[in-house]
Amino acid sequence: MKWILYDIGGVIEIVDDHSWPTELRVTWSDRFGLKPEEYDARLLAADLPDTTVNAGVEEQHWRGVADALNLSAAEVASMRAELWDAYCGEENTELLDHARSLHGRVGLAILSNSGDGAREEEERRFGLSTVFDPICYSHEQGVLKPDARAFEQALARMNTTADQVLFIDDNPPNVHAAQALGIRALLHSDNTTTIDAIERFLVG
């Protein structure tokens, strides 16, 4: 069976992962009366857990943020909500609807660099588990793309080989890493091009 392996942010979700972290950093530092450099220094000194490659650390992370910035529970709750809104962006309805239409023709899976808590948030917003299986998150697998181990774990969970997979990502290093492992990979730029590539892959 052939497989389509999707990234989430910038592909399934319409979001600019390169801009929103900086925008939130500026917003939050200004809100709490700190220069961005001071904001960074406080969080660095807090020795927060790496939420991108560890599961079950989200609450510890936010407790550390609260202590580092002297925040109330309400202020932390506001930050968390703002983070997940920025992180998840909006559903790429056209591409997700196309993926749904492929059920029965191909396996559908996800490989995403992620933060602890992403599975719950993205499931609540977009119902990804009704479309994709497996969903491979970096915070659960313990490794980030473009590390080859991320792709190897995804292949193992799909129980398939590299030549049976088309990988779609909006980040060139991730595309190149997949190609180096023999996975056919597409740099996502727009829905029409991506959908056309998927259809060609399925009939090829």
Side-chain angles (χ1 to χ4, degrees):
M1 182 173 68
K2 290 184 175 181
W3 284 83
I4 312 297
L5 181 62
Y6 299 79
D7 177 41
I8 299 182
V11 179
I12 295 299
E13 295 168 347
I14 301 172
V15 61
D16 185 353
D17 288 328
H18 302 290
S19 65
W20 68 259
T22 300
E23 292 169 359
L24 283 183
R25 169 180 174 264
V26 171
T27 296
W28 290 341
S29 59
D30 181 67
R31 179 182 302 167
F32 304 127
L34 302 171
K35 294 181 179 179
E37 296 77 13
E38 183 182 359
Y39 170 90
D40 293 342
R42 289 196 186 188
L43 294 186
L44 181 62
D47 193 26
L48 302 174
D50 186 348
T51 60
T52 67
V53 290
N54 292 285
V57 298
E58 185 184 14
E59 296 303 325
Q60 178 187 349
H61 168 87
W62 285 110
R63 286 195 301 270
V65 170
D67 290 344
L69 302 177
N70 299 314
L71 303 181
S72 68
E75 288 171 323
V76 172
S78 179
M79 289 179 74
R80 293 179 74 159
E82 290 166 353
L83 180 139
W84 287 119
D85 283 345
Y87 180 105
C88 294
E90 299 177 5
E91 177 183 301
N92 186 341
T93 303
E94 182 180 18
L95 196 58
L96 195 54
D97 283 348
H98 179 259
R100 291 188 180 100
S101 77
L102 298 177
H103 271 285
R105 296 176 61 194
V106 63
L108 301 167
I110 280 173
L111 177 61
S112 178
N113 289 349
S114 55
D116 187 30
R119 179 179 293 275
E120 295 78 11
E121 280 292 329
E122 289 171 330
E123 182 64 22
R124 179 176 67 83
R125 294 165 189 255
F126 308 126
L128 297 183
S129 69
T130 66
V131 185
F132 306 99
D133 184 25
I135 299 175
C136 306
Y137 282 109
S138 68
H139 72 277
E140 296 171 348
Q141 297 195 155
V143 62
L144 294 159
K145 298 176 294 184
D147 192 309
R149 293 173 296 171
F151 296 95
E152 290 164 353
Q153 289 189 45
L155 291 174
R157 291 182 63 185
M158 291 186 287
N159 192 26
T160 192
T161 55
D163 60 304
Q164 295 298 306
V165 177
L166 173 63
F167 172 62
I168 301 165
D169 199 292
D170 65 324
N171 193 324
N174 297 337
V175 169
H176 298 155
Q179 292 170 335
L181 293 172
I183 298 170
R184 192 177 306 186
L186 172 71
L187 182 66
H188 175 72
S189 58
D190 64 84
N191 290 340
T192 298
T193 301
T194 292
I195 290 170
D196 287 348
I198 292 171
E199 293 294 340
R200 289 196 304 272
F201 173 72
L202 294 181
V203 301

